[in-house]
Amino acid sequence: MKKETLLLGAAFAAGIAAAAIDQNAAAQVALKHAGVADLPANALLVTPDYDDGRAVYDVTFHNGKAKFDYEIDANTGAVLKAEQKPLP
């Protein structure tokens, strides 16, 4: 019985991992949400993280005029947080 539960749990976890988005997809979600098409070189940083037990990507970038901070759900691709601050 315990062995079956472990196998079922592993199959469930594999299903979630297969549905998860990658760092590039998270960056594309954030850029599209912000309406930013072109970035200067080295202007994008994507970091995998956990927030309240949820796998997320922290996406930070700037377009020369503003800095953008996003948190993207790593399983669904949903925008969980979006902040924009003008650059000096």
Side-chain angles (χ1 to χ4, degrees), residues 2-83:
K2 192 171 189 178
K3 185 176 183 180
E4 291 173 8
T5 303
L6 291 175
L7 291 175
L8 180 58
F12 180 72
I16 290 174
I21 66 168
D22 64 10
Q23 291 180 341
N24 187 48
Q28 294 305 313
V29 168
L31 291 169
K32 182 176 180 181
H33 186 271
V36 174
D38 296 321
L39 294 176
N42 300 321
L44 174 69
L45 176 65
V46 180
T47 308
D49 199 2
Y50 281 92
D51 187 13
D52 295 327
R54 178 189 298 194
V56 298
Y57 290 109
D58 292 327
V59 182
T60 303
F61 57 94
H62 71 85
N63 63 357
K65 299 176 184 176
K67 178 183 177 196
F68 299 84
D69 288 310
Y70 275 81
E71 188 173 89
I72 307 296
D73 187 299
N75 289 313
T76 66
V79 175
L80 302 175
K81 179 186 90 171
E83 295 179 355

